[in-house]
């Protein structure tokens, strides 16, 4: 009867151990003042339950989508993240292995010499092979759930690694999109710099000609001013070329290419196709992979803390052994010759110098650390969304003002050139009006790119797919 109960206990244990380990969700603990409301607080943080999806479609640029696709397919960093995910999955399998019985099979052969009577008065020595087969099975009965807690912790850590991979993939997509926009801005700034140099070169030619002709009011000082402006514009152009070259190589490296500096672009800053739904603050916790990873690590630490406490309790183990010895290899599996043994044992640690209780304190401290990090990651996510939402409003206002600035500066430049040609103003007013016109255009290009980068930041902060 006892043997049947023991066998049933082992069968039930194996079946239960075969179930997939799963660590419960960890609670997000935040102070009341840090908790979000029902909607976003930013100026354009409209309350909406729509979820952000496929954010690359917000940008009217097929080249950007191709660049992101190439980066995701070829990036060594992302492949390294995938390898880390595979490692974590293997560790999870190892952590769950103690749920199952361990078994071993041994086969041994010995060569013995023995004396054999060959006839009356005749004894000979004969070599004889002896075979031994041994099968042993051992299983720790998870009475307290310690083994299950360790398996749950391993599975939660594997899930955290999968979330890390998703976060790395999303971050790579966002960084590639940012690099694409930065390169386009650099190309526009370079073209603007080339136009500036060409304009200042024409100014210098005009001033030189007027000075040589002895036009009244045109002095050597005017020539010097025109030359210094041209030299400054040429230096600025070289700096912009350097920035364009660096932007190309950054983008190529993100795409997994050799940074040769010859990547081609669409030649224009992409336009935005409307607003992106921000969703609700509560759903952000479910979308962002970095938050999910922090939660899974906290859940794993909770399971490990439980296992540490249960390590103070007795351990129960079932051990079985079956062996047979035969001179004939074919008779090793003869059931009549099998010798069986079955042992039940209990082990209770008495003294380890306080190591086990120190493990409990260590695990509790790790839980607290990861729980606070979880809250910090969530708070950072809320900040990033709110900041990006607010920045979108301010950038729209800034761009509107810069467009007005650029229009007025262009008209002022035309007026200054017209008055200079009629002898109504000096060259300094012309140079200053041209400088302001080019500065306003440069600032407008920079602000329009900042709006694109802010939209990418918002998409990254909101999580979801791309």
């Amino acid at each position: 009867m006892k043997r049947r109960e023991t066998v049933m206990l082992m069968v039930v244990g194996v079946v239960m151990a075969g179930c997939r380990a799963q660590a419960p969700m960890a609670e997000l603990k935040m102070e009341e003042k840090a908790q979000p409301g029902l909607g976003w607080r930013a100026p354009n943080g409209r309350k909406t339950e729509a979820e952000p999806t496929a954010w690359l479609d917000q940008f009217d640029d097929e080249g950007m989508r191709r660049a992101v696709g190439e980066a995701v397919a070829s990036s060594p960093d992302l492949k390294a993240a995938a390898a880390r995910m595979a490692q974590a999955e293997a560790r999870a399998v190892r952590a769950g292995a103690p749920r199952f019985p361990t078994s071993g099979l041994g086969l041994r052969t010995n060569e013995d010499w023995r004396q054999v009577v060959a006839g009356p008065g005749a004894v000979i020595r004969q070599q004889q092979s002896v075979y031994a087969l041994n099968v042993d099975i051992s299983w720790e009965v998870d009475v307290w759930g310690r083994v299950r807690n360790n398996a749950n912790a391993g599975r939660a850590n594997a899930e955290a690694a999968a979330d890390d991979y998703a976060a790395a993939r999303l971050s790579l997509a966002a960084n590639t999109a940012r690099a694409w926009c930065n390169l386009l801005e650099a190309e526009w700034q370079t073209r603007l710099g080339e136009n500036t140099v060409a304009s200042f070169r024409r100014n210098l030619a005009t001033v030189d000609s007027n000075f040589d002709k002895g036009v009244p009011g045109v002095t050597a000082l005017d020539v010097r001013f025109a030359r210094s402006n041209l030299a400054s514009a040429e230096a600025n152009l070289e700096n912009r070329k350097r920035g364009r070259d660096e932007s190309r190589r950054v983008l190529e490296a993100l795409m997994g290419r050799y940074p040769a500096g010859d990547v081609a672009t669409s030649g224009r800053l992409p336009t935005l196709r409307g607003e992106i739904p921000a969703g609700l603050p509560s759903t952000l916790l479910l979308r962002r992979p970095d938050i999910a990873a922090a939660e899974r690590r906290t859940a794993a630490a909770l399971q490990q803390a439980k296992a540490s406490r249960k390590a103070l309790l007795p351990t129960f183990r079932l051990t079985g052994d079956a062996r047979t010895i035969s001179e004939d290899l074919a008779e090793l599996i003869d059931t009549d010759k099998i010798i069986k043994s079955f042992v039940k044992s209990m082990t209770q640690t008495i003294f380890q110098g306080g190591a086990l209780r120190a493990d409990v304190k260590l695990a509790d401290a790790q839980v607290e650390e990861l729980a606070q990090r979880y809250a910090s990651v969530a708070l950072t996510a809320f900040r990033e969304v709110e900041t990006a939402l607010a920045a979108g409003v301010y950038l729209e206002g800034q761009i509107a003002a810069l467009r007005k600035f650029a229009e007025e500066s262009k008209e002022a430049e035309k007026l200054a050139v017209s008055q200079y040609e009629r002898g109504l103003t000096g060259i300094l007013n012309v140079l200053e009006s041209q400088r302001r016109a080019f500065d306003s255009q440069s600032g407008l290009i920079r602000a329009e790119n900042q709006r694109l980068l802010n939209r990418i930041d918002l998409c990254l902060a909101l999580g979801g797919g791309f």
Side-chain angles (χ1 to χ4, degrees):
M1 184 64 180
K2 287 185 177 180
R3 184 173 181 276
R4 178 188 297 178
E5 292 176 353
T6 302
V7 171
M8 287 299 296
L9 176 62
M10 293 182 67
V11 171
V12 171
V14 170
V15 171
M16 292 180 64
C19 298
R20 180 180 175 88
Q22 181 65 47
M25 290 283 292
E27 180 183 358
L28 177 60
K29 298 180 180 179
M30 302 180 71
E31 294 186 16
E32 184 177 354
K33 64 180 181 181
Q35 294 177 2
L38 297 178
W40 301 106
R41 313 286 181 83
N44 68 338
R46 298 176 302 279
K47 179 180 177 181
T48 171
E49 296 183 1
E51 299 295 323
T53 57
W55 56 261
L56 274 177
D57 292 340
Q58 294 284 318
F59 300 85
D60 182 21
D61 195 324
E62 185 61 33
M64 176 191 287
R65 281 187 284 275
R66 286 197 301 267
V68 170
E70 184 175 343
V72 170
S74 306
S75 170
D77 290 336
L78 191 59
K79 292 178 181 178
R84 288 192 294 271
M85 181 173 61
Q87 295 172 38
E89 185 63 32
R91 292 192 192 98
V93 174
R94 290 189 61 182
R99 296 173 297 160
F100 302 93
T102 60
S103 60
L105 175 66
L107 176 63
R108 186 177 71 254
T109 178
N110 292 329
E111 299 294 334
D112 293 336
W113 291 90
R114 63 180 179 175
Q115 293 182 342
V116 179
V117 178
V123 179
I124 62 174
R125 297 181 70 235
Q126 185 179 29
Q127 189 178 17
Q128 179 69 42
S129 297
V130 178
Y131 302 96
L133 179 66
N134 184 76
V135 179
D136 61 84
I137 299 177
S138 178
W139 181 51
E140 179 181 344
V141 183
D142 194 18
V143 175
W144 317 112
R146 180 183 62 83
V147 176
R148 184 176 65 254
N149 291 141
N150 284 329
N152 288 346
R155 174 51 48 192
N157 280 322
E159 292 165 349
D163 290 325
D164 286 339
Y165 173 78
R169 187 171 180 271
L170 180 60
S171 178
L172 174 63
N175 287 336
T176 304
R178 289 176 61 89
W180 179 267
C181 293
N182 284 333
L183 174 55
L184 289 170
E185 182 200 341
E187 290 178 342
W188 272 94
Q189 296 285 10
T190 301
R191 285 195 290 269
L192 179 61
E194 292 170 344
N195 294 335
T196 304
V197 169
S199 177
F200 284 0
R201 200 168 272 140
R202 288 193 297 270
N203 287 343
L204 177 58
T206 300
V207 174
D208 268 336
S209 176
N210 290 340
F211 181 70
D212 292 339
K213 293 176 181 178
V215 174
V218 180
T219 66
L221 181 60
D222 293 335
V223 176
R224 294 293 183 182
F225 274 130
R227 288 177 179 173
S228 66
N229 263 26
L230 176 59
S232 175
E234 290 174 336
N236 189 32
L237 175 59
E238 293 304 314
N239 183 58
R240 294 185 179 194
K241 288 180 178 179
R242 180 181 61 81
R244 179 185 62 184
D245 180 80
E246 181 180 356
S247 297
R248 284 175 176 167
R249 300 183 197 278
V250 168
L251 177 60
E252 288 169 332
L254 285 170
M255 295 167 65
R257 298 184 187 181
Y258 182 82
D262 56 7
V263 63
T265 68
S266 58
R268 63 172 182 84
L269 284 171
T271 56
L272 295 175
R273 293 174 170 171
E275 298 295 329
I276 183 172
L280 301 175
S282 57
T283 62
L284 180 69
L285 301 176
L286 304 176
R287 281 196 313 270
R288 283 199 33 159
D290 57 336
I291 297 179
E295 183 278 323
R296 286 290 81 193
R297 288 194 170 89
T298 304
L302 287 166
Q303 292 295 312
Q304 289 168 342
K306 292 179 180 180
S308 297
R309 289 186 179 86
K310 293 171 183 178
L312 300 172
L313 302 173
T315 300
F316 298 89
R317 182 173 293 278
L318 303 178
T319 303
D321 180 82
R323 60 187 181 276
T324 180
I325 300 175
S326 175
E327 296 177 355
D328 187 347
L329 185 62
E331 294 180 354
L332 280 178
I333 58 174
D334 187 348
T335 56
D336 294 334
K337 295 185 177 182
I338 295 178
I339 305 173
K340 308 170 188 176
S341 67
F342 183 75
V343 178
K344 294 171 285 186
S345 64
M346 184 193 78
T347 304
Q348 171 65 64
T349 303
I350 302 301
F351 181 71
Q352 283 191 353
L356 293 179
R357 295 194 178 279
D359 286 342
V360 173
K361 293 181 179 179
L362 174 63
D364 288 341
Q366 290 173 337
V367 168
E368 180 63 21
E369 177 192 0
L370 290 172
Q372 294 302 326
R373 189 177 300 172
Y374 179 23
S376 177
V377 170
L379 194 59
T380 298
F382 294 139
R383 173 184 60 79
E384 290 173 348
V385 174
E386 294 281 10
T387 300
L389 287 172
V393 175
Y394 302 135
L395 283 168
E396 289 295 336
Q398 180 183 359
I399 289 173
L402 284 171
R403 284 176 179 161
K404 185 67 174 177
F405 178 30
E407 291 172 3
E408 295 297 334
S409 297
K410 193 66 177 178
E411 293 301 318
E413 178 192 4
K414 292 178 181 179
L415 183 60
V417 171
S418 175
Q419 290 182 350
Y420 177 75
E421 291 174 346
R422 288 181 291 162
L424 300 177
T425 188
I427 190 63
L428 288 180
N429 286 335
V430 175
L431 297 177
E432 175 63 17
S433 65
Q434 289 181 333
R435 184 191 64 79
R436 292 176 67 86
F438 287 121
D439 285 348
S440 66
Q441 294 177 52
S442 178
L444 180 58
I445 293 171
R446 189 180 307 111
E448 288 179 341
N449 186 43
Q450 287 175 345
R451 178 175 60 178
L452 295 173
L453 299 182
N454 183 72
R455 177 62 64 87
I456 295 171
D457 290 342
L458 175 59
C459 295
L460 180 62
L462 289 172
F466 57 86

